Amino acid sequence: MKEETPILEVKQLHTHFFTKAGVVKAVDGVHFDIKPGETLGIVGESGSGKSITAMSIMRLIPSPPGKIVDGQVLFKGENLLNKSEKQMRKIRGKEISMIFQDPMTSLNPVFTIEKQMVETILVHENLNKQQARNRAVELLELVGIPEARGRLKNYPHEFSGGMRQRVMIAMALACNPEVLIADEPTTALDVTIQAQILELLAKLQKELGMAIIMITHDLGVVSEVCDRVMVMYAGKPVEYTDKKSLFKQPKHPYTLGLMNSIPKISAKKEKLEAIEGLPPDLRALPGGCSFAPRCSQATEICLTTDPVLIEHGNNHHVRCLLYEEETEKVVSE
Amino acid sequence: MSTLLEVKNLKKHFPINNGGLLKKQNGAVKAVDGISFQVKQGETLGLVGESGCGKSTAGRAILKLLEPTEGEIRFKGEDITGYRGEKLRKLRRDMQLIFQDPYASLNPRKTIEQIITEPMKIFNLPKQQRKKKLDRLLDVVGLSSYHKQRYPHEFSGGQRQRIGIARSLALDPDLVICDEPVSALDVSIQAQVINLMEDLQQEFNLTYIFIAHDLSVVHHISDRVAVMYLGQIVEIGEVEELYSHPKHPYTQALLSAIPEADPELSRERILIKGDLPSPSDPPLGCKFHTRCPYAEEICRTSNPLLKQVSSGGQQAACHFVKEVALEH
């Protein structure tokens, strides 16, 4: 069902921000791949580096202060980090597109939907204006906007939140991208609308066969839509595996902590098992494992030794000293 | 347990003016349109619904931060609907609010000490007592006394919410209305704050009205839950009963739409079509009929009232649920 060669490979990506207050290692050694038609979830809390990972892939890191200091982003075997800005412009929006969390701020409020959609299409496709307009109507119909032709003349504020997100998705799909990066696409929406949008994305993925990188903080969303998952903490991937083993046997104490801290309707608990403490300041990361100060299973050695991502079990990668002794294969430094 | 708060047929309508010089009114946004419920001393009532359903407006109208258009609010047996001036000010001691956004709800120019002691100053607590109270509050919400002289921007979101909670407890209120207190927080921090709120409820014998859109959080913290849709309560009942046997189609759809973090769990999803209609022009009849998968002719013309649907006291407003006599 799925082809074996990945369409996008991110290797040892390091994106740092050089600020007056010090170097912020926003992304520090992210490593994953994604195959056509597959959905990869990137989970983490605010500041864990999930959005910066996406921005790095799109080469949208503001520089200065940001800089991709190391790593490779291989799209169909070609390293995007070596592309010129001109070449990147041809890729962005056409081969890799992105949808954002807040559709109100990512659409331009002073232009109609038509103007914004037609512009995107004209930049990338060899069509005339009339054809581009027809394509826009097709796309709006595809994402389930009723009376698509009439609504082209509307401005973003005339759409509801869910409808705006549909417009965003339609724009992202304008040129049949092979990879769609969805950065918290449903976080600003109500649950019933969220369910509609997730359903829509799954349907479109089936029809168009694109790979989706789903960035979210919601493990529920991951469980609904993803095939594989990468959990991030303080800029580093801490666990990377397929969805089933993640939920069945979470290995990293942080993943476990996250799962225990969400209230579950199916099993009501007296008390939530919260993770103590606060996420670390990325400018002054603790020596050793970044999660150690909050980890219930941390030992002396965790405070001094930074673990590496190892494969523990079948394709289940984890960055934790608890598993390092039984290491089978070291995959990253 | 005695009833602390009773709300009867509460309405809050916001007039829409036509923009002309004479400000002629040509309609109203019926944000809250006739809700009734009771809250007992020491319990937590969850108020859920999608954005725009009127849950926050309901909270504010109960606190009388907004003047109710119609209806009656009884607090500790007294009708407070008509309270004004000094009487209202005194009442505010007993009813407090925790806000959603921990960034916007704290004055950035004041220190934590000033923020938390402000309510005590307003009610003329002596300085010595204020100081003692402040230390105790900081302690119970998990902050240290060296935080006193700091400003809000020096704290993280979770810590700010703790400060907001400490402030709301400064006057020993009976009722705390929590308006989406954890929705701006990360999950690991969210769990800390929920646990804190539960501990404080025990310790200070607080009554909560917990307004939220996150159904899992509401399930965790509430004793009873009311589901709102377009300004009305469509279903209300004990939390376990309501979550395991939702009777109203909207509650059913809402519950089936929550993504649960368990891929093994297979559920049938009821997808409801379309968006929430505008509260300024709500549909006639049952307000949910435009999105309801079971809607029939009667739903388009007559608005169903809340009726008993289980012997345990669960109520739902739908034409197609059977009425059940209440067990005594």
Side-chain angles (χ1 to χ4, degrees):
Chain A
M1 172 183 117
K2 273 162 202 156
E3 293 166 53
E4 274 313 299
T5 43
I7 179 132
L8 184 76
E9 284 176 86
V10 174
K11 291 186 172 172
Q12 291 306 321
L13 184 71
H14 293 259
T15 305
H16 295 178
F17 287 82
F18 298 88
T19 66
K20 273 187 203 153
V23 180
V24 177
K25 294 178 178 170
V27 172
D28 207 21
V30 166
H31 197 92
F32 66 85
D33 58 57
I34 181 166
K35 299 178 186 79
E38 187 183 43
T39 304
L40 173 83
I42 302 184
V43 199
E45 296 180 275
S46 26
S48 61
K50 9 182 238 303
S51 294
I52 300 297
T53 302
M55 303 288 247
S56 305
I57 295 169
M58 296 291 268
R59 289 267 310 276
L60 289 170
I61 298 293
S63 174
K67 197 166 179 250
I68 301 173
V69 289
D70 196 14
Q72 284 183 315
V73 178
L74 299 175
F75 177 65
K76 293 196 219 163
E78 281 181 66
N79 191 354
L80 294 183
L81 302 184
N82 294 335
K83 299 266 182 210
S84 68
E85 182 54 34
K86 205 170 158 194
Q87 287 169 314
M88 269 318 288
R89 266 193 217 161
K90 293 218 168 100
I91 293 171
R92 268 184 225 134
K94 181 166 168 66
E95 305 195 60
I96 306 178
S97 345
M98 193 158 172
I99 47 180
F100 300 88
Q101 170 172 352
D102 184 350
M104 192 62 214
T105 49
S106 33
L107 290 168
N108 190 330
V110 299
F111 294 116
T112 58
I113 297 302
E114 171 172 359
K115 181 136 181 143
Q116 299 183 52
M117 290 191 76
V118 167
E119 188 184 354
T120 316
I121 298 167
L122 287 179
V123 168
H124 293 294
E125 309 274 340
N126 196 10
L127 297 173
N128 64 33
K129 258 198 163 157
Q130 191 50 49
Q131 288 167 318
R133 201 169 295 136
N134 290 338
R135 173 85 182 128
V137 174
E138 250 175 64
L139 287 163
L140 289 180
E141 277 166 0
L142 182 73
V143 296
I145 291 188
E147 302 162 61
R149 194 166 285 276
R151 300 223 63 177
L152 269 183
K153 295 278 179 222
N154 285 148
Y155 287 87
H157 75 265
E158 297 174 86
F159 291 86
S160 67
M163 282 296 160
R164 252 180 247 143
Q165 197 56 287
R166 283 172 195 263
V167 172
M168 280 295 298
I169 294 171
M171 279 174 78
L173 297 179
C175 305
N176 288 325
E178 289 177 74
V179 178
L180 177 70
I181 303 177
D183 190 353
E184 304 258 10
T186 58
T187 307
L189 307 174
D190 282 314
V191 273
T192 59
I193 309 296
Q194 164 169 292
Q196 290 174 359
I197 297 289
L198 293 180
E199 198 99 334
L200 172 71
L201 280 174
K203 183 191 120 205
L204 294 172
Q205 183 177 36
K206 225 180 218 167
E207 283 170 22
L208 309 172
M210 64 200 164
I212 298 182
I213 299 179
M214 177 69 76
I215 297 176
T216 178
H217 68 278
D218 186 340
L219 283 168
V221 171
V222 168
S223 136
E224 298 269 330
V225 300
C226 298
D227 300 308
R228 283 187 301 140
V229 191
M230 178 171 74
V231 183
M232 287 185 74
Y233 186 78
K236 297 188 177 89
V238 293
E239 191 156 0
Y240 175 45
T241 181
D242 61 286
K243 172 175 72 183
K244 244 200 184 140
S245 27
L246 184 84
F247 284 97
K248 228 177 183 165
Q249 298 175 295
K251 295 197 178 192
H252 199 283
Y254 175 63
T255 317
L256 208 64
L258 271 188
M259 286 183 183
N260 288 333
S261 51
I262 26 177
K264 286 198 184 72
I265 290 178
S266 42
K268 188 162 179 168
K269 277 184 281 189
E270 266 303 294
K271 201 99 204 174
L272 294 173
E273 293 163 44
I275 306 176
E276 293 303 317
L278 302 170
D281 184 345
L282 292 175
R283 288 170 308 195
L285 285 176
C289 173
S290 329
F291 186 59
R294 299 176 76 189
C295 183
S296 54
Q297 301 179 53
T299 52
E300 212 60 352
I301 185 167
C302 298
L303 298 170
T304 50
T305 313
D306 194 12
V308 294
L309 197 65
I310 54 164
E311 183 166 344
H312 185 265
N314 191 19
N315 263 322
H316 197 139
H317 299 83
V318 59
R319 179 193 286 269
C320 180
L321 291 173
L322 288 175
Y323 302 96
E324 218 155 74
E325 283 163 19
E326 327 154 40
T327 311
E328 283 146 37
K329 196 170 106 199
V330 173
V331 291
S332 97
E333 294 300 328
Chain B
M1 268 183 291
S2 60
T3 303
L4 182 73
L5 177 81
E6 190 174 4
V7 174
K8 279 187 200 159
N9 196 28
L10 182 72
K11 289 186 184 174
K12 177 66 201 172
H13 295 177
F14 295 99
I16 308 170
N17 297 323
N18 65 357
L21 199 60
L22 296 170
K23 295 263 167 76
K24 212 174 119 199
Q25 190 185 331
N26 52 357
V29 176
K30 295 176 179 168
V32 176
D33 203 19
I35 60 171
S36 307
F37 59 84
Q38 295 180 350
V39 189
K40 289 194 210 76
Q41 178 81 45
E43 80 168 349
T44 302
L45 175 79
L47 207 53
V48 291
E50 296 178 278
S51 33
C53 72
K55 49 191 195 305
S56 291
T57 308
R60 269 147 221 255
I62 292 166
L63 286 177
K64 296 210 15 110
L65 291 171
L66 291 168
E67 195 55 43
T69 311
E70 220 185 290
E72 190 181 327
I73 305 162
R74 296 186 83 87
F75 183 66
K76 292 186 189 165
E78 256 180 89
D79 184 357
I80 60 162
T81 328
Y83 273 26
R84 298 258 177 307
E86 190 55 25
K87 250 182 156 180
L88 182 60
R89 204 176 74 91
K90 289 236 168 77
L91 176 77
R92 292 255 159 88
R93 259 186 105 126
D94 298 333
M95 301 167 111
Q96 289 288 328
L97 183 63
I98 300 175
F99 297 92
Q100 168 172 9
D101 188 344
Y103 292 87
S105 56
L106 302 178
N107 187 337
R109 291 161 190 260
K110 290 194 168 171
T111 62
I112 302 317
E113 173 165 10
Q114 288 170 319
I115 289 172
I116 297 177
T117 51
E118 177 90 24
M120 304 185 230
K121 263 190 193 158
I122 293 173
F123 283 94
N124 297 322
L125 257 71
K127 202 167 179 188
Q128 217 43 42
Q129 214 175 326
R130 289 207 297 263
K131 278 219 146 62
K132 245 170 96 184
K133 194 84 200 261
L134 171 71
D135 288 335
R136 165 136 169 74
L137 284 169
L138 284 174
D139 184 48
V140 293
V141 299
L143 294 167
S144 309
S145 57
Y146 65 82
H147 286 131
K148 269 190 271 188
Q149 296 312 320
R150 296 204 183 165
Y151 289 88
H153 73 268
E154 297 174 76
F155 294 89
S156 68
Q159 287 174 315
R160 284 175 198 228
Q161 205 55 298
R162 289 169 192 268
I163 297 165
I165 292 171
R167 176 178 59 184
S168 74
L169 298 182
L171 296 169
D172 300 313
D174 296 305
L175 176 71
V176 181
I177 297 189
C178 320
D179 192 357
E180 302 265 13
V182 296
S183 57
L185 307 175
D186 273 318
V187 275
S188 72
I189 308 299
Q190 178 176 305
Q192 294 174 0
V193 173
I194 292 172
N195 284 343
L196 171 69
M197 291 181 64
E198 287 181 322
D199 292 343
L200 293 174
Q201 180 166 36
Q202 290 275 319
E203 193 167 342
F204 296 98
N205 190 24
L206 297 170
T207 307
Y208 287 143
I209 293 182
F210 195 94
I211 301 172
H213 68 280
D214 186 327
L215 292 141
S216 332
V217 170
V218 168
H219 177 257
H220 179 81
I221 203 165
S222 306
D223 300 308
R224 285 191 310 131
V225 175
V227 182
M228 282 187 74
Y229 188 78
L230 277 182
Q232 294 183 335
I233 291 179
V234 296
E235 188 157 5
I236 182 166
E238 300 290 327
V239 61
E240 290 305 336
E241 197 173 25
L242 187 125
Y243 273 69
S244 52
H245 302 288
K247 293 290 196 305
H248 195 282
Y250 179 63
T251 318
Q252 291 170 357
L254 208 55
L255 286 173
S256 82
I258 324 168
E260 275 248 34
D262 183 0
E264 310 262 295
L265 210 69
S266 69
R267 290 167 308 158
E268 204 180 328
R269 167 159 293 172
I270 310 162
L271 263 192
I272 50 175
K273 296 168 294 208
D275 290 317
L276 198 69
S278 160
S280 63
D281 183 24
L284 290 172
C286 172
K287 295 195 172 177
F288 186 57
H289 85 257
T290 52
R291 301 171 79 192
C292 181
Y294 313 110
E296 281 181 32
E297 202 45 51
I298 180 171
C299 306
R300 289 181 191 94
T301 49
S302 111
N303 193 10
L305 297 172
L306 274 176
K307 55 188 173 192
Q308 290 299 330
V309 291
S310 86
S311 50
Q314 190 177 353
Q315 295 179 307
C318 177
H319 290 297
F320 297 105
V321 287
K322 275 209 191 93
E323 195 156 353
V324 176
L326 191 60
E327 225 170 49
H328 281 290

